[in-house]
Amino acid sequence: MSLRHHPFDPLTSSEIRQAADILRRYVPGTDIHFRVITLWEPPKSEMVPFLEMEHGGSETAKTPARMARVQAYVDSTFTEYKVNLDQQAVVAEETLHGRHAHIDGEYMRKVELACMADPRVKEQVAALNLPEGSTVVVEPWTYGPDGMNDMSKRMTMCWFYMRLSDDKDANYYAYPLELCVEVSDDLKVVKILHLPSGEHDRVRTEGNPKEFDRRKIHEGSEYYPTLNTKQRTTTKPYHVSQPEGPSFSIEGNKITWEKWTMRVGFNYREGMTLHDVRFDDRSLYYRLSLAEMFVPYGDPRTPYPRKAAFDLGNDGAGVCANNLQLGCDCLGHIKYFDGWLVSRDGTPLKMPHVICCHEIDDGILWKHTNPRTGNAAVARSRVLVLQTIITASNYEYVFCFYFGQDASLHYEVRATGILSTAPADFSSPAPLPYGTTVAPGVLAPFHQHLFCLRIDPAVDGYRANSLLVEESHPLPPSAADNPHGVGYVTRQTYVEHETGLDLDHTTNRVFKIVNERRHHPVARTPVGVRLLPCYSQLLLAHPDSLHARRSEFGAHAVWVTRHADDEAFPAGRFTMQSAGGEGIASWIRKRRERRRGEEVGGSSSNREGRGNEKKGGKEGNVVEEEDDTCVRNADIVVWHTFGSTHNPRVEDWPIMPAEKMVVGLKPVNFFERNPALDVPPSTQERNLSVLVETGGGVGEERKEEKEAECCVERFRGR
Amino acid sequence: MSLRHHPFDPLTSSEIRQAADILRRYVPGTDIHFRVITLWEPPKSEMVPFLEMEHGGSETAKTPARMARVQAYVDSTFTEYKVNLDQQAVVAEETLHGRHAHIDGEYMRKVELACMADPRVKEQVAALNLPEGSTVVVEPWTYGPDGMNDMSKRMTMCWFYMRLSDDKDANYYAYPLELCVEVSDDLKVVKILHLPSGEHDRVRTEGNPKEFDRRKIHEGSEYYPTLNTKQRTTTKPYHVSQPEGPSFSIEGNKITWEKWTMRVGFNYREGMTLHDVRFDDRSLYYRLSLAEMFVPYGDPRTPYPRKAAFDLGNDGAGVCANNLQLGCDCLGHIKYFDGWLVSRDGTPLKMPHVICCHEIDDGILWKHTNPRTGNAAVARSRVLVLQTIITASNYEYVFCFYFGQDASLHYEVRATGILSTAPADFSSPAPLPYGTTVAPGVLAPFHQHLFCLRIDPAVDGYRANSLLVEESHPLPPSAADNPHGVGYVTRQTYVEHETGLDLDHTTNRVFKIVNERRHHPVARTPVGVRLLPCYSQLLLAHPDSLHARRSEFGAHAVWVTRHADDEAFPAGRFTMQSAGGEGIASWIRKRRERRRGEEVGGSSSNREGRGNEKKGGKEGNVVEEEDDTCVRNADIVVWHTFGSTHNPRVEDWPIMPAEKMVVGLKPVNFFERNPALDVPPSTQERNLSVLVETGGGVGEERKEEKEAECCVERFRGR
């Protein structure tokens, strides 16, 4: 089946142009400031039949229409349009009163200039009495609502830093200043704050800031190579070569590698997305994406609680995606994917090399030595990596999907970049309790990074999956059934209704996404995949706080919901200065409440989701299910919240060694056997390793025993 | 300082010979069956001054004597000797009544033959009515005590399997038989058991076993390449080359790499050990080793509880160490270390290539792009790997230490190999609750793998460290101190006395090993390292069970004890058929009880370990401390128990894709800044990556926007 575009293909530059033109014709004579033109993904109700047809299902299905999601300020009114590119028409529009678009780089630049140009700000800067030759750097941040301002208007916080070097790449985070300025939507300086810099300080708005304490001037906080000249020379070059080329093949956005097939997507908000992920021609995942992340700072002193960033919803992982460089960000044989965004005037904006695709060797995949023969069978693990890197102001995040030959899949986040810093008094009696002092007068405040991975499963079919929670529990000692007190069994519980759940390693709690309609012929359990969670502390902010209300996904580690086309973002569609109450917990609560209402009204059919099973035989389209709180044999989405409570180390300064967080997904009684059983054995003939002769051995003098004999000796009869 | 042998060097083959000769002269005219000749590591009280001198401390210290630990059956009496190689004399001996040496391959072979030769066994095998051309395979296992036999005599369990192919590498675990035989120390068949194969079956000792059910005969359970001919051809070759050679240098057993130095050791029991691990000439760890592992099976039906293996204490990680092959087990530029054991007659036994040392590329180490200039600084992560692989009967374990350029250290276990199987009735109504049916009639029982990593720290000095438990907790909302309800702080608690502790991700509980006598100049906290634990379920067996008493380390995730030279093994010195009560919990209990006794007797000084602090100034040798239950400012050892509750997947059959378990150690406010700050930036010039041109991009048509502009566009003013 060949198409000009696959329905999952992101919009091309020409489609972006078309969409812009269609909107211009639709609202002639208006001033249009484009913010978003991206693929409006087809409804799942259309995609499922399409994919079933694409993969050889008998039915015929129509190809979903190409739709664009356009967000623009039209004569200053923020509006979202649904544009049908096939019909060349706007088919729907929504005025977004009181909403704010994602961050606008050009506007932020204006904020910075307006702030610096304000005479009162100039006075205040002068009052700081900064060192000769220093340069003030203003970093505008989106405003994390703290209930102290009206959020219906855009508000920006300007945090002040300084660099002592003329070099624009000098690390200004090494000199956080005590000034902070609120700038209004219309670029007016609303308020000038003097930041608290001692434990019991309070923010001040009167008088002058303290003078800059010159004892804070220090060395060793530069990270940029030209400024950080002490470089080790001990690391020898390391090259990866694939004489026959990579093992993957690429058609458009479709990647085929070692029994895996998947389609790569990219958008302004989520950055890299994966679609229709299959192994050995069986479906596993309809869609995989990082759906949101929240970075709240833990320093309670006003105005620090305003540091609370939704790096996807506010900044956009696509907008912040790095242009990956060959040999720097990626080693080996690298395939790059470009992405496309839109400029404010509607012209397509190319994002070069936002995703890289390559292979790595991951050591031993499987091995066994037969003790009787001394014969070893060993296979090495080859892994496919899809990497994207974003820069969200001071921080970098490296997002990678790792695909294994054994049908395992891992999602890894690496946090790096530079800590966001705050001023601390040079001579405070004790370290401040809200962070780590990483350099003289430089506080790196405690904060959290909470990520939410959205898993839209298609376990052996696109229509109906269930979430099974399994725990391992000891059997009670009993003369008859557990005479030695060592027995244990598993307990399985199906989740019946939408909810949030937590991790428990003490019971080996395992979350399995299964297809109850497909039982494994040998194991006789439903086929499934297992989540390997990342054990993390959840949101520390008080449940009643704005932080908690805005980042509902941070309340539980695992969530399961019914699939809904418009529920992609677990903190809500619009996070910029949001008031909260529109996230995943609210979706669930609203459906539950409506459901209760209906039941009171009498229609309590299908209460336990059993109805699905009846329909199981003919795989009824779950979109038609009555109980939209039921997640049993339904079109479900599983969400995993994970991250880190990042109480900085001095070792994270001045640039942070990547901190890894890893989530896994593995098949469980899905395949007939080890899906990597057919990986050929690893041989020196193919791998061409090099023996390093240097130095001695653990036992120095060499003897003449034949090695083969040793093996046999070692293994005989074991 | 140059020595013939460093005190941490394992015994060389000639030293092993000497030790054997010394013992022969010491017990002339006896029949000696050697089991162990290995380095008797010098007492820490001698090593600490030696190391302080070695690393430029002013004091002079004498080089500890070369001592050998010899275990042998002398005229059938199991005895341990301490042999002084400098004095050429036995300086101590201990008769080990009621103890058993680690597993003896030659003896196990005899057990197997004796079992097969027994006429009653032959009858029983005949009664199974096995298929034409099948071969019975007997796998002798050490006996996991279940209270049903006298353990003072060696007892072996023979488990029966069958292979249908003539090929000795055929996977006999695919046909577990219902026979099981107990063999006595003097090679007599004591009891013949018919294994339970249905949920409510009981073991039988009378009559004949059920006939073999031919419906169990199946395909697809072979893993050995010559028998498993379906092999994928899609995986292209992947080569690693280091034109200037590796970045490490090796002198004897000392490895120097990227600011790290360490000494590699190897012995019959622990396999690979690491000693005097330092970074940038500051000490971090005195000794790192896997100290024990326990693999209890969870099937409660007699005799399955006897499957309970201490793969270090019973089998020996050194004894089971694989002869690693270039290009198979290791890819790249590989340095191998050999090890030496002893044969029963006292001749040295070479263990070739038991440890491999090489480098890998681990992706992004750190990165930041300055949003104002669009200039990126990125360094790639090079990692040093020390790998050893053991074969413990059916299972393989890959043990790796990973050293990072940022002074982080990770210890990884990969479990692979073949599941130990048990017979299941072909036509049982439901799957058995004690395992997973992985092939027709083949039950892979539930079991646990519990590992104990022993961390003997030397955080910025060899003498006195403390264990600090830190948690992150929300501040209570308060108008004055936490007006927005988003603040949080950390709580620190020093562990004062020896104990076992557990993990808690919900409070972000962090275990830090710190040196309270060395404060970080900027952060003003004690310098330390942090444990990154592996969240695992602990031992499921009932606390009163023999399993629990024998594997005391399985009761808690983190243990802290006072260092004692003879406390290296947390399940006790001798685990073979052990009765328990000699492990880490017992050490702690006994010292506590004695301490309480002393206190009642009046000497309650130093109760809270404060005495140590008083001595802090002159770094008193902690061995002299009075309170030997105190772990504050003391010579402590930290133990981490982790592993997996392995409820097998069909995908683990017939050979298991490696399951990874990872533990980390990272500096926390130890260094002045990121210790990898001086890693040179990653450049294509050095990395020589290759651009793959195949296929399209996420947005197909290419446009002419200049990429540099995009970056600026993207980053400007953010």
Side-chain angles (χ1 to χ4, degrees):
Chain A
M1 181 188 62
S2 111
L3 289 162
R4 180 146 177 289
H5 304 295
H6 188 279
F8 284 137
D9 285 340
L11 298 185
T12 60
S13 55
S14 66
E15 288 177 313
I16 291 168
R17 262 197 202 77
Q18 286 172 46
D21 294 340
I22 293 165
L23 182 62
R24 286 194 198 90
R25 289 197 300 272
Y26 182 74
V27 288
T30 56
D31 167 36
I32 308 180
H33 168 192
F34 287 94
R35 300 296 290 118
V36 172
I37 298 182
T38 191
L39 177 70
W40 193 305
E41 288 179 24
K44 199 167 177 182
S45 55
E46 292 180 24
M47 278 312 294
V48 166
F50 177 86
L51 294 173
E52 288 171 343
M53 175 185 69
E54 180 180 10
H55 299 298
S58 52
E59 311 154 53
T60 58
K62 75 180 213 326
T63 304
R66 288 291 277 178
M67 298 278 190
R69 183 185 302 270
V70 181
Q71 289 177 5
Y73 287 92
V74 176
D75 290 338
S76 314
T77 304
F78 187 40
T79 314
E80 180 172 271
Y81 300 89
K82 188 174 199 174
V83 174
N84 183 318
L85 293 167
D86 299 345
Q87 299 167 9
Q88 297 283 304
V90 171
V91 293
E93 70 181 281
E94 178 185 7
T95 310
L96 300 167
H97 293 299
R99 305 298 195 174
H100 305 287
H102 67 274
I103 196 166
D104 177 345
E106 291 187 32
Y107 173 78
M108 289 308 237
R109 181 69 183 161
K110 288 187 194 135
V111 169
E112 194 180 324
L113 297 172
C115 174
M116 292 297 279
D118 183 276
R120 286 160 305 159
V121 172
K122 286 179 172 165
E123 272 172 38
Q124 293 286 310
V125 170
L128 287 169
N129 181 28
L130 299 177
E132 278 300 305
S134 60
T135 308
V136 170
V137 180
V138 168
E139 188 166 271
W141 272 46
T142 56
Y143 187 113
D146 56 359
M148 295 175 75
N149 283 287
D150 162 25
M151 292 290 98
S152 69
K153 284 237 183 289
R154 178 163 52 178
M155 174 86 70
T156 307
M157 298 296 293
C158 290
W159 307 91
F160 281 60
Y161 302 88
M162 163 182 91
R163 54 180 164 80
L164 289 173
S165 154
D166 292 341
D167 193 312
K168 283 201 164 62
D169 283 307
N171 180 10
Y172 53 82
Y173 298 105
Y175 297 104
L177 304 178
E178 283 168 31
L179 269 192
C180 179
V181 173
E182 290 179 27
V183 176
S184 66
D185 190 41
D186 55 1
L187 301 173
K188 301 265 180 309
V189 168
V190 177
K191 201 179 285 179
I192 298 177
L193 310 172
H194 303 148
L195 296 175
S197 55
E199 176 171 2
H200 299 294
D201 276 10
R202 297 277 174 272
V203 65
R204 293 182 300 116
T205 54
E206 301 306 318
N208 284 340
K210 281 180 255 162
E211 289 197 4
F212 176 79
D213 185 339
R214 278 156 172 67
R215 291 173 301 174
K216 292 182 176 182
I217 296 172
H218 65 279
E219 306 263 299
S221 283
E222 297 303 344
Y223 72 95
Y224 197 72
T226 53
L227 299 164
N228 166 36
T229 45
K230 284 196 222 77
Q231 281 170 13
R232 67 178 78 178
T233 55
T234 49
T235 321
K236 303 279 178 67
Y238 186 99
H239 302 152
V240 167
S241 73
Q242 298 188 263
E244 298 174 23
S247 312
F248 54 77
S249 67
I250 311 236
E251 268 177 278
N253 303 312
K254 185 181 179 191
I255 299 175
T256 303
W257 179 82
E258 297 292 283
K259 298 184 184 176
W260 286 98
T261 58
M262 70 204 74
R263 292 183 178 276
V264 179
F266 178 84
N267 65 64
Y268 75 104
R269 181 163 180 166
E270 299 160 284
M272 171 170 55
T273 57
L274 298 181
H275 308 263
D276 196 24
V277 178
R278 300 165 63 87
F279 190 95
D280 211 6
D281 207 24
R282 286 170 71 188
S283 63
L284 284 167
Y285 312 105
Y286 178 79
R287 192 180 196 276
L288 295 170
S289 57
L290 182 67
E292 192 50 272
M293 60 179 283
F294 186 47
V295 185
Y297 283 71
D299 189 331
R301 299 171 301 169
T302 303
Y304 295 123
R306 296 175 185 177
K307 281 190 169 184
F310 288 97
D311 289 333
L312 269 62
N314 291 5
D315 295 30
V319 173
C320 302
N322 289 193
N323 176 350
L324 302 175
Q325 300 299 315
L326 190 69
C328 309
D329 299 298
C330 328
L331 180 72
H333 288 242
I334 315 295
K335 158 70 183 176
Y336 288 103
F337 292 92
D338 298 331
W340 290 92
L341 301 177
V342 66
S343 308
R344 62 191 299 137
D345 65 0
T347 56
L349 175 67
K350 184 183 183 182
M351 301 286 288
H353 293 192
V354 285
I355 298 168
C356 67
C357 169
H358 68 285
E359 292 176 274
I360 59 174
D361 175 273
D362 186 42
I364 302 296
L365 172 58
W366 50 258
K367 180 175 188 180
H368 183 56
T369 303
N370 184 334
R372 289 149 193 291
T373 62
N375 293 334
V378 55
R380 297 190 68 77
S381 172
R382 186 72 57 86
V383 168
L384 182 77
V385 185
L386 293 178
Q387 174 182 263
T388 188
I389 305 178
I390 72 168
T391 299
S393 197
N394 54 297
Y395 263 123
E396 262 70 13
Y397 299 98
V398 182
F399 300 118
C400 290
F401 284 99
Y402 296 92
F403 293 87
Q405 291 166 304
D406 61 352
S408 66
L409 176 114
H410 290 84
Y411 182 71
E412 178 192 78
V413 176
R414 297 189 188 195
T416 177
I418 303 182
L419 294 158
S420 178
T421 57
D425 293 339
F426 181 82
S427 50
S428 64
L432 290 173
Y434 311 123
T436 306
T437 309
V438 295
V442 183
L443 183 72
F446 297 158
H447 58 282
Q448 296 189 282
H449 301 263
L450 289 171
F451 305 87
C452 188
L453 181 67
R454 184 176 182 274
I455 303 160
D456 187 341
V459 174
D460 219 15
Y462 296 98
R463 291 173 186 269
N465 287 167
S466 302
L467 183 65
L468 179 59
V469 181
E470 180 182 278
E471 297 182 343
S472 296
H473 290 279
L475 282 169
S478 106
D481 298 323
N482 189 18
H484 311 291
V486 305
Y488 77 90
V489 293
T490 57
R491 283 188 208 150
Q492 271 107 354
T493 314
Y494 280 100
V495 180
E496 299 289 349
H497 294 88
E498 295 185 314
T499 187
L501 301 152
D502 291 314
L503 306 179
D504 181 2
H505 64 274
T506 66
T507 57
N508 192 45
R509 184 176 295 163
V510 168
F511 296 87
K512 292 180 180 175
I513 307 170
V514 302
N515 186 330
E516 293 187 71
R517 296 165 179 176
R518 305 275 167 83
H519 275 55
H520 191 282
V522 174
R524 292 187 287 171
T525 64
V527 299
V529 298
R530 167 187 174 174
L531 176 70
L532 290 79
C534 176
Y535 288 91
S536 321
Q537 184 173 39
L538 296 170
L539 186 73
L540 277 157
H542 191 280
D544 299 337
S545 65
L546 268 161
H547 278 17
R549 299 212 303 275
R550 299 178 69 219
S551 62
E552 292 179 342
F553 66 90
H556 292 290
V558 177
W559 299 82
V560 56
T561 60
R562 290 278 288 223
H563 176 275
D565 288 326
D566 60 353
E567 289 178 359
F569 308 120
R573 270 174 74 200
F574 297 93
T575 58
M576 184 72 85
Q577 298 187 180
S578 60
E582 297 181 319
I584 190 166
S586 297
W587 309 336
I588 293 172
R589 197 191 63 254
K590 287 189 184 115
R591 278 192 282 266
R592 274 209 197 131
E593 284 167 1
R594 197 183 55 244
R595 180 75 190 152
R596 278 199 218 90
E598 284 171 6
E599 280 167 32
V600 174
S603 99
S604 66
S605 73
N606 194 14
R607 180 75 182 82
E608 292 308 310
R610 297 270 174 263
N612 301 326
E613 289 176 349
K614 290 192 212 84
K615 287 194 176 167
K618 65 175 179 65
E619 295 221 335
N621 182 336
V622 294
V623 176
E624 295 158 16
E625 292 302 336
E626 282 172 38
D627 181 352
D628 64 359
T629 72
C630 164
V631 290
R632 186 91 188 259
N633 286 298
D635 183 4
I636 60 172
V637 178
V638 176
W639 314 68
H640 179 36
T641 301
F642 65 98
S644 80
T645 295
H646 186 193
N647 304 340
R649 309 174 297 156
V650 173
E651 287 80 4
D652 295 334
W653 181 261
I655 192 162
M656 181 180 164
E659 180 189 1
K660 292 182 189 179
M661 290 149 273
V662 181
V663 176
L665 288 163
K666 282 189 177 183
V668 178
N669 300 349
F670 184 93
F671 296 102
E672 262 185 85
R673 60 184 61 83
N674 175 355
L677 181 61
D678 63 345
V679 173
S682 172
T683 63
Q684 169 64 355
E685 209 180 344
R686 277 175 68 84
N687 293 335
L688 305 181
S689 290
V690 177
L691 186 66
V692 176
E693 295 288 5
T694 165
V698 172
E700 273 158 25
E701 304 95 7
R702 294 283 188 275
K703 290 287 303 164
E704 291 318 308
E705 289 88 352
K706 276 196 224 61
E707 304 196 349
E709 277 171 26
C710 302
C711 302
V712 179
E713 170 70 28
R714 244 150 71 218
F715 291 124
R716 184 181 301 132
R718 290 207 45 265
Chain B
M1 183 187 61
S2 112
L3 289 162
R4 182 147 175 287
H5 305 297
H6 189 279
F8 283 137
D9 284 341
L11 298 185
T12 61
S13 56
S14 65
E15 289 178 314
I16 291 168
R17 260 196 203 77
Q18 288 172 47
D21 293 342
I22 293 165
L23 182 64
R24 287 194 197 92
R25 289 198 298 272
Y26 182 74
V27 288
T30 56
D31 167 35
I32 309 180
H33 168 193
F34 287 93
R35 300 295 292 117
V36 172
I37 298 182
T38 192
L39 176 70
W40 193 303
E41 289 180 22
K44 198 169 179 181
S45 55
E46 294 180 22
M47 277 312 293
V48 166
F50 177 88
L51 293 173
E52 287 171 344
M53 176 185 67
E54 180 181 9
H55 299 298
S58 51
E59 310 154 55
T60 59
K62 75 181 208 334
T63 304
R66 288 291 280 178
M67 298 276 188
R69 184 187 300 270
V70 180
Q71 290 177 3
Y73 286 91
V74 176
D75 289 339
S76 312
T77 304
F78 186 41
T79 314
E80 180 173 272
Y81 301 88
K82 188 175 199 172
V83 175
N84 184 318
L85 294 167
D86 300 343
Q87 299 167 10
Q88 297 282 306
V90 171
V91 293
E93 70 182 281
E94 179 185 6
T95 310
L96 301 166
H97 293 298
R99 305 299 195 174
H100 304 288
H102 67 273
I103 194 166
D104 176 345
E106 292 188 31
Y107 173 78
M108 290 308 240
R109 180 68 182 163
K110 288 186 192 139
V111 168
E112 193 179 326
L113 297 171
C115 174
M116 293 296 280
D118 182 276
R120 288 160 304 160
V121 172
K122 286 180 172 163
E123 273 173 35
Q124 292 286 311
V125 170
L128 287 168
N129 181 28
L130 299 176
E132 277 300 304
S134 60
T135 308
V136 170
V137 180
V138 169
E139 189 166 272
W141 271 46
T142 57
Y143 187 111
D146 56 357
M148 295 176 75
N149 282 286
D150 162 25
M151 291 290 98
S152 68
K153 285 237 183 287
R154 181 165 48 180
M155 173 85 71
T156 307
M157 300 294 294
C158 290
W159 307 91
F160 281 60
Y161 301 88
M162 164 183 91
R163 55 180 164 78
L164 289 173
S165 154
D166 291 341
D167 193 313
K168 283 199 163 64
D169 283 307
N171 180 10
Y172 52 81
Y173 298 104
Y175 297 104
L177 303 178
E178 283 168 31
L179 267 192
C180 179
V181 173
E182 292 179 26
V183 176
S184 65
D185 190 41
D186 56 358
L187 300 173
K188 300 268 180 308
V189 168
V190 178
K191 202 178 284 179
I192 298 177
L193 310 171
H194 303 147
L195 296 175
S197 55
E199 176 170 1
H200 300 294
D201 275 12
R202 296 278 174 272
V203 64
R204 293 181 303 117
T205 55
E206 301 304 317
N208 284 339
K210 281 180 255 161
E211 290 198 2
F212 175 79
D213 184 338
R214 279 159 171 65
R215 291 172 302 175
K216 293 183 176 182
I217 295 171
H218 66 279
E219 306 265 298
S221 283
E222 297 302 346
Y223 72 93
Y224 197 72
T226 53
L227 299 164
N228 166 37
T229 47
K230 285 197 221 74
Q231 281 169 13
R232 67 178 78 176
T233 56
T234 50
T235 320
K236 301 280 177 66
Y238 186 99
H239 301 153
V240 168
S241 74
Q242 298 189 263
E244 298 174 22
S247 312
F248 53 77
S249 68
I250 307 221
E251 271 175 275
N253 304 312
K254 183 181 179 190
I255 300 177
T256 303
W257 179 83
E258 296 292 282
K259 297 184 185 176
W260 287 96
T261 59
M262 70 205 75
R263 292 182 177 277
V264 179
F266 178 83
N267 65 65
Y268 74 103
R269 181 163 180 166
E270 298 161 282
M272 171 170 56
T273 57
L274 298 181
H275 308 263
D276 196 23
V277 179
R278 300 166 62 87
F279 189 95
D280 211 7
D281 207 25
R282 286 170 70 188
S283 63
L284 284 168
Y285 313 104
Y286 178 80
R287 193 179 195 276
L288 295 171
S289 57
L290 182 68
E292 193 49 273
M293 58 178 285
F294 187 47
V295 185
Y297 284 71
D299 189 330
R301 300 170 300 170
T302 304
Y304 294 123
R306 297 175 186 179
K307 281 191 169 183
F310 288 95
D311 289 331
L312 269 61
N314 290 7
D315 296 29
V319 174
C320 302
N322 289 194
N323 177 350
L324 302 175
Q325 300 298 315
L326 190 69
C328 308
D329 298 299
C330 326
L331 179 73
H333 288 241
I334 314 295
K335 157 71 184 176
Y336 288 103
F337 293 92
D338 298 331
W340 291 91
L341 301 177
V342 67
S343 306
R344 62 191 297 139
D345 64 1
T347 57
L349 174 67
K350 183 183 182 185
M351 302 286 286
H353 293 192
V354 285
I355 298 168
C356 68
C357 170
H358 69 284
E359 292 178 273
I360 58 173
D361 175 274
D362 186 41
I364 302 295
L365 172 58
W366 51 257
K367 179 174 189 179
H368 183 57
T369 303
N370 183 333
R372 287 147 196 291
T373 62
N375 293 334
V378 55
R380 297 190 69 79
S381 171
R382 187 73 58 85
V383 167
L384 182 77
V385 185
L386 294 177
Q387 175 181 264
T388 188
I389 305 178
I390 71 168
T391 299
S393 197
N394 54 298
Y395 263 123
E396 262 70 13
Y397 300 97
V398 182
F399 300 119
C400 290
F401 285 99
Y402 295 93
F403 294 87
Q405 290 165 305
D406 62 350
S408 67
L409 168 62
H410 290 83
Y411 182 71
E412 179 193 76
V413 176
R414 297 189 188 195
T416 177
I418 304 182
L419 294 159
S420 178
T421 57
D425 292 340
F426 181 82
S427 50
S428 63
L432 289 171
Y434 311 122
T436 305
T437 309
V438 295
V442 184
L443 183 72
F446 297 157
H447 59 282
Q448 295 189 280
H449 301 263
L450 290 171
F451 304 87
C452 188
L453 181 68
R454 183 176 184 273
I455 302 160
D456 187 341
V459 174
D460 218 16
Y462 297 98
R463 292 174 185 269
N465 287 167
S466 304
L467 183 65
L468 179 60
V469 181
E470 180 182 279
E471 298 182 342
S472 296
H473 290 279
L475 282 170
S478 108
D481 298 324
N482 189 18
H484 310 292
V486 306
Y488 77 90
V489 292
T490 58
R491 281 186 210 154
Q492 271 107 356
T493 314
Y494 280 99
V495 181
E496 299 287 349
H497 294 90
E498 296 185 314
T499 187
L501 301 152
D502 291 315
L503 306 179
D504 182 1
H505 65 275
T506 66
T507 58
N508 193 43
R509 185 176 295 163
V510 167
F511 296 87
K512 292 180 179 175
I513 307 169
V514 301
N515 186 332
E516 293 188 72
R517 297 165 179 175
R518 304 275 167 83
H519 275 54
H520 192 282
V522 174
R524 292 188 286 169
T525 64
V527 299
V529 298
R530 167 187 174 174
L531 175 70
L532 289 79
C534 175
Y535 288 91
S536 319
Q537 185 173 39
L538 296 170
L539 186 74
L540 277 157
H542 191 280
D544 299 337
S545 65
L546 268 161
H547 279 14
R549 299 211 304 273
R550 298 178 71 222
S551 62
E552 292 180 342
F553 67 90
H556 293 289
V558 177
W559 299 82
V560 56
T561 60
R562 290 278 288 223
H563 176 274
D565 289 326
D566 60 353
E567 291 180 357
F569 308 121
R573 270 173 74 200
F574 298 94
T575 59
M576 184 72 86
Q577 298 187 180
S578 61
E582 297 181 318
I584 190 164
S586 298
W587 308 337
I588 294 173
R589 197 191 64 254
K590 285 184 186 119
R591 278 192 281 267
R592 272 208 199 129
E593 285 166 1
R594 198 182 56 242
R595 181 76 190 151
R596 276 202 219 86
E598 285 168 11
E599 279 166 29
V600 175
S603 100
S604 64
S605 70
N606 195 11
R607 181 74 182 83
E608 292 307 311
R610 296 271 176 263
N612 301 325
E613 288 174 352
K614 290 194 211 81
K615 287 190 180 175
K618 65 176 179 64
E619 295 223 333
N621 181 333
V622 296
V623 176
E624 295 159 15
E625 292 301 337
E626 284 172 36
D627 181 351
D628 66 356
T629 71
C630 164
V631 290
R632 186 91 188 258
N633 286 296
D635 183 5
I636 60 172
V637 178
V638 176
W639 315 68
H640 179 36
T641 301
F642 65 97
S644 79
T645 295
H646 186 192
N647 304 338
R649 312 173 294 157
V650 173
E651 288 79 3
D652 295 334
W653 180 261
I655 191 162
M656 182 179 163
E659 181 189 359
K660 292 182 189 179
M661 291 148 273
V662 182
V663 176
L665 288 162
K666 281 189 178 185
V668 179
N669 300 350
F670 185 93
F671 296 101
E672 263 185 84
R673 58 185 62 83
N674 175 355
L677 181 62
D678 63 345
V679 172
S682 171
T683 64
Q684 170 63 353
E685 202 182 350
R686 276 174 72 83
N687 293 334
L688 305 182
S689 290
V690 177
L691 186 66
V692 176
E693 295 289 4
T694 165
V698 170
E700 275 159 23
E701 305 94 8
R702 294 282 187 277
K703 289 289 301 167
E704 291 320 310
E705 288 86 353
K706 276 193 224 63
E707 304 194 349
E709 275 170 27
C710 302
C711 301
V712 179
E713 172 68 31
R714 240 149 75 215
F715 290 124
R716 185 180 301 133
R718 294 204 43 266

